[in-house]
Amino acid sequence: MIKVAPSILAADPINLERDVRSAVQAGCDWLHVDVMDAHFVPNLAYSPDVVRRLHQTFPVPLDVHLMMDHPETLMDSFLDAGAQWLTIHAEIDADVHMLLRHIREKGGHPGIAIRPGTPVESALAYQDEADLILTMTVEPGFGGQKLDERVLEKMKAIRRTGWQGEIEADGGIREDNLKLLTDSGLTVAVMGTALFGKGNLEDAMKRIHALHP
Ligand code: DX5
Ligand code: ZN
């Protein structure tokens, strides 16, 4: 069964607990937490304290997506706060191999993310050090954008290498385009605006899990 990771960026920030609870009660598999540094992307989002409180409150794996130029400054804080999955971007100017190995040594699952315009080879270079490859299906920074279908070829290319880890997509995923992604090798669907603030979350989660076993 594919895993659904609701992205809390689309939750109501002043009602975060209410919205996350409804996602957890609906049976979501993971929770996706975006971290933005207002530099790697032109937006600002969640801190390790938020991850800590989510971890203390909800029994769901936390999938933390670091959209940061300098993830090394906060990686340990996020892991100590309870992030099970910690993903960094391949485009940053850093020793990405070393950072991924560090996440694994600290007991986390390392992930490597690429923007829609970054060649898939940039992620494949880290296959040995990562447990997850995140192919962004929109330019990172904001929810509510349209999925870039050109990314499907990259997901297929990852699958063709025999990769056994998770293949995650993030951005513009809705119930009506999910099949395109699962046919291309997707194992984890990050969904923000398609889930929060739209009708009954529990019904949506049931439909998704039933259609994508
Ligand atoms: C975008 C974020 C996503 C975002 C997805 O930079 O990484 O997690 O919340 O939102 P939707 O599903 O609305 O495109
Ligand atoms: Zn994300």
Side-chain angles (χ1 to χ4, degrees):
M1 191 149 80
I2 67 152
K3 289 180 267 296
V4 180
S7 174
I8 67 166
L9 194 67
D12 176 1
I14 208 161
N15 287 298
L16 187 60
E17 182 182 9
R18 179 199 67 187
D19 286 1
V20 171
R21 194 172 300 284
S22 70
V24 171
Q25 281 172 354
C28 71
D29 302 280
W30 294 357
L31 278 174
H32 186 79
V33 180
D34 283 317
V35 178
M36 306 187 187
D37 65 352
H39 199 263
F40 182 77
V41 287
N43 200 357
L44 203 54
Y46 297 107
S47 69
D49 280 340
V50 175
V51 168
R52 176 175 299 103
R53 292 294 291 130
L54 288 170
H55 179 62
Q56 288 168 349
T57 312
F58 299 107
V60 175
L62 298 173
D63 169 37
V64 178
H65 175 196
L66 300 180
M67 285 163 274
M68 300 177 68
D69 277 317
H70 292 286
E72 70 281 3
T73 57
L74 286 174
M75 273 177 3
D76 285 359
S77 303
F78 279 108
L79 291 166
D80 293 342
Q84 281 99 327
W85 294 81
L86 197 61
T87 295
I88 62 176
H89 269 264
E91 297 88 357
I92 60 173
D93 185 13
D95 186 344
V96 172
H97 289 285
M98 196 260 289
L99 297 181
L100 292 169
R101 281 198 297 268
H102 179 79
I103 293 169
R104 192 173 271 163
E105 276 160 24
K106 289 264 302 177
H109 288 292
I112 185 75
I114 48 173
R115 292 174 179 268
T118 302
V120 69
E121 290 74 22
S122 298
L124 296 177
Y126 302 106
Q127 275 179 309
D128 289 346
E129 286 105 355
D131 294 335
L132 174 151
I133 298 177
L134 166 54
T135 52
M136 290 299 299
T137 31
V138 299
E139 268 310 316
F142 299 92
Q145 306 180 70
K146 192 175 174 307
L147 178 132
D148 183 342
E149 291 191 13
R150 290 173 305 176
V151 177
L152 300 175
E153 284 308 315
K154 291 201 271 187
M155 300 174 70
K156 290 179 189 161
I158 296 166
R159 185 52 82 223
R160 280 198 299 271
T161 67
W163 167 255
Q164 295 293 310
E166 304 287 354
I167 301 180
E168 182 176 59
D170 182 7
I173 304 178
R174 301 186 311 261
E175 281 185 65
D176 63 4
N177 60 20
L178 199 45
K179 186 160 178 349
L180 281 175
L181 295 156
T182 53
D183 286 350
S184 308
L186 171 118
T187 63
V188 185
V190 176
M191 297 172 78
T193 46
L195 287 180
F196 287 108
K198 294 260 162 56
N200 189 314
L201 233 165
E202 201 163 330
D203 289 347
M205 203 71 69
K206 274 196 196 124
R207 281 195 301 272
I208 294 169
H209 278 146
L211 278 173
H212 305 283

